[in-house]
Amino acid sequence: MDKIVIAGGIPLKGEVSISGAKNAALPILAAALLAPAQHTLHNVPNLADIRTAKRLLENLGARFADGPDGLSVDTRDLTSWEAPYDLVKTMRAAVLVLGPLVARLGRARVSLPGGCAIGARPINLHLKGLEEMGVKITLQHGYVEAAVKRLEGAEIILDFPTVTGTENLLMAATLARGRTVIKNAAQEPEVADLARFLQAMGADIQGIGSDVLTVHGVKQLQSARYRIMPDRIEAGTYLAAAAITRGEVTIRQAPVEHLTAVIDKFIEAGLRLKVDQDIISVRPGGSLTGVDLKTMPYPGFPTDMQAQFMAAMALARGVSVITESIFEKRFMHISELRRLGADIVVSGNQAVVRGVKSLQGAPVMATDLRASASLILAGLGAQGQTEVHRVYHLDRGYERIENKLSALGATIWREKA
Ligand code: EPU
């Protein structure tokens, strides 16, 4: 298995451009299944999760072509309605085909995702919402079997604003008979990006970006062309990289309006930065001070930035209390950060980080995508050499991360196993 090696302690300097958002591209690829047509997508990031999503759609009968005009997805001839265990176990977001398949074909067979490194992550809210739309759900041999003659509009109140749950129900509702209202919907920008793609396909959706989505079902959706939004978590990760190395970094194509909570936290911690349209410029100098934070659904501080922010706090002055309120097991990076010399104590869903003067490079093991990013950041801030093992986690969600960091002056390389 590949590893990434970093010789840390170098302040980053230069410019980096943000790629398309993984968590917007994944539901948008699934949404392409809703209309028998050829769609064109721009700014699709080149990531392992996107390749898995393509394989999943190809299994269902979709065809892809990469061209100068973007990625074309042809979903005219579907040949299957099944998302097999092999694919769902490598990428939970594969469950996003459930809504589109029942809406288009009236049936779907999707492997139940198991628990994962960051928590149990059930899909009960996806299933409950679909049942409210008239879908008959049975669980058999580890698979969700879903069947419906015609989806019926419904009023759905989500117990929790689940991101992919909202997306599955939103996609299903576009082809349901009548009106669907999804209350306590997730307000994450990626849900809004999906909704705008669905609008481009001809869906009738109101309340985009809010916690109440109202959908008037239409008979059929059409071919669409769409540009995926930039990745706010990738942008936040480079912000953290600049912060931890006390660097001078310009982040281009940053979705600034979706990063408010993250930018505000870094400013509170003492990072000097300037925002101008879609450019964030981090100024050099200034030291970081520990600040408290709690992860929340959007517009709160994103759980997907918790591990990276913690790495920065490990080298800040003073104490930070970091509370993870979305996933019950998303602290796996802490024991590895400790191997680099971080002073972090965990109690339940709270981590108390006492900033240290320096971290020292060491071999560490990545456990999930954002934990990997956190370890890369800590390695950049540490003295000496850090080896991050199991980088396949990183490749799921960061496009060419070692190239982008090298271009910023980091000494970082990948070693093939
Ligand atoms: N939950 C339930 N029942 C459900 C659905 C969710 O109890 O039916 C719980 C989960 O167990 C969790 C909480 O609700 O405790 C939030 O989960 P959510 O469903 O919102 O997460 P998700 O849709 O599975 C997406 C992102 C994650 C991101 C979370 C939270 C995609 C493909 N994935 O997951 O991204 O952390 O929202 O913002 O959009 C990542 O990119 O590294 C990543 C993990």
Side-chain angles (χ1 to χ4, degrees):
M1 264 181 267
D2 294 3
K3 65 182 172 191
I4 286 195
V5 188
I6 304 159
I10 303 170
L12 299 184
K13 194 168 181 359
E15 294 189 0
V16 62
S17 287
I18 298 309
S19 303
K22 166 179 85 79
N23 289 350
L26 292 173
I28 286 172
L29 283 168
L33 294 168
L34 284 163
Q38 188 172 330
H39 311 278
T40 308
L41 301 175
H42 302 271
N43 208 28
V44 178
N46 182 8
L47 301 168
D49 270 9
I50 299 296
R51 289 188 286 278
T52 306
K54 282 183 179 170
R55 257 197 299 144
L56 171 65
L57 264 66
E58 276 168 354
N59 266 0
L60 297 168
R63 283 189 296 266
F64 287 91
D66 245 323
D69 192 32
L71 175 70
S72 108
V73 192
D74 184 343
T75 58
R76 277 173 290 195
D77 304 312
L78 295 190
T79 50
S80 162
W81 48 82
E82 179 171 317
Y85 176 66
D86 273 359
L87 289 172
V88 181
K89 82 168 194 286
T90 45
M91 186 186 71
R92 303 174 55 83
V95 301
L96 284 165
V97 299
L98 179 58
L101 288 176
V102 277
R104 168 141 169 216
L105 303 175
R107 62 188 299 187
R109 186 166 189 268
V110 174
S111 172
L112 257 185
C116 78
I118 63 177
R121 302 182 77 183
I123 57 164
N124 57 314
L125 303 175
H126 305 224
L127 303 184
K128 183 165 168 269
L130 287 173
E131 280 178 332
E132 282 165 13
M133 297 174 83
V135 181
K136 192 168 174 304
I137 304 270
T138 45
L139 301 180
Q140 271 179 23
H141 308 294
Y143 277 77
V144 176
E145 310 262 2
V148 69
K149 275 221 169 63
R150 173 91 203 262
L151 285 164
E152 297 291 343
E155 183 163 319
I156 299 165
I157 304 175
L158 292 172
D159 289 348
F160 184 89
T162 157
V163 174
T164 48
T166 302
E167 291 166 346
N168 246 332
L169 298 172
L170 177 64
M171 290 188 279
T174 58
L175 290 177
R177 184 159 38 204
R179 189 180 76 143
T180 300
V181 183
I182 307 172
K183 294 187 176 167
N184 199 24
Q187 299 176 66
E188 268 67 5
E190 293 76 14
V191 178
D193 213 40
L194 166 66
R196 281 190 289 269
F197 174 62
L198 293 169
Q199 279 185 325
M201 293 171 87
D204 178 352
I205 305 171
Q206 277 132 42
I208 295 176
S210 81
D211 63 348
V212 181
L213 293 168
T214 305
V215 186
H216 289 94
V218 294
K219 282 234 163 64
Q220 217 181 321
L221 295 170
Q222 301 106 41
S223 155
R225 178 179 284 274
Y226 195 73
R227 185 176 178 81
I228 312 281
M229 64 185 274
D231 195 311
R232 65 193 166 105
I233 305 302
E234 190 196 16
T237 303
Y238 284 102
L239 202 52
I244 201 165
T245 64
R246 312 283 189 265
E248 184 176 3
V249 173
T250 302
I251 303 170
R252 294 190 177 275
Q253 281 139 54
V256 165
E257 72 275 29
H258 304 138
L259 275 165
T260 310
V262 173
I263 290 174
D264 285 356
K265 267 297 156 196
F266 275 113
I267 291 176
E268 192 186 331
L271 190 67
R272 296 167 59 216
L273 56 84
K274 200 176 104 217
V275 173
D276 182 15
Q277 295 187 19
D278 65 348
I279 301 173
I280 307 173
S281 312
V282 180
R283 309 265 176 81
S287 58
L288 293 181
T289 306
V291 290
D292 298 345
L293 78 81
K294 182 176 182 183
T295 62
M296 298 287 279
Y298 190 84
F301 190 95
T303 174
D304 288 347
M305 272 301 298
Q306 179 257 108
Q308 301 90 311
F309 195 83
M310 188 182 293
M313 290 302 95
L315 277 174
R317 212 161 9 121
V319 180
S320 326
V321 179
I322 297 182
T323 309
E324 171 58 55
S325 80
I326 307 293
F327 292 110
E328 66 276 18
K329 281 201 330 201
R330 211 173 201 181
F331 274 158
M332 305 285 275
H333 42 286
I334 292 180
S335 42
E336 300 298 304
L337 289 174
R338 281 205 203 106
R339 301 196 68 252
L340 299 172
D343 179 353
I344 308 173
V345 180
V346 183
S347 167
N349 68 342
Q350 280 196 333
V352 177
V353 186
R354 289 190 177 77
V356 292
K357 283 231 163 62
S358 67
L359 296 173
Q360 302 88 45
V364 285
M365 191 80 86
T367 48
D368 69 75
L369 170 56
R370 308 303 170 187
S372 323
S374 156
L375 297 176
I376 297 279
L377 296 176
L380 291 171
Q383 302 301 318
Q385 189 161 308
T386 297
E387 287 181 3
V388 181
H389 293 260
R390 296 205 182 149
V391 288
Y392 57 88
H393 290 294
L394 199 67
D395 295 334
R396 295 184 52 187
Y398 288 93
E399 196 175 67
R400 298 180 296 108
I401 190 167
E402 69 270 32
N403 300 353
K404 288 189 182 187
L405 287 169
S406 294
L408 290 171
T411 305
I412 179 170
W413 67 94
R414 181 182 292 249
E415 281 183 11
K416 297 266 173 213

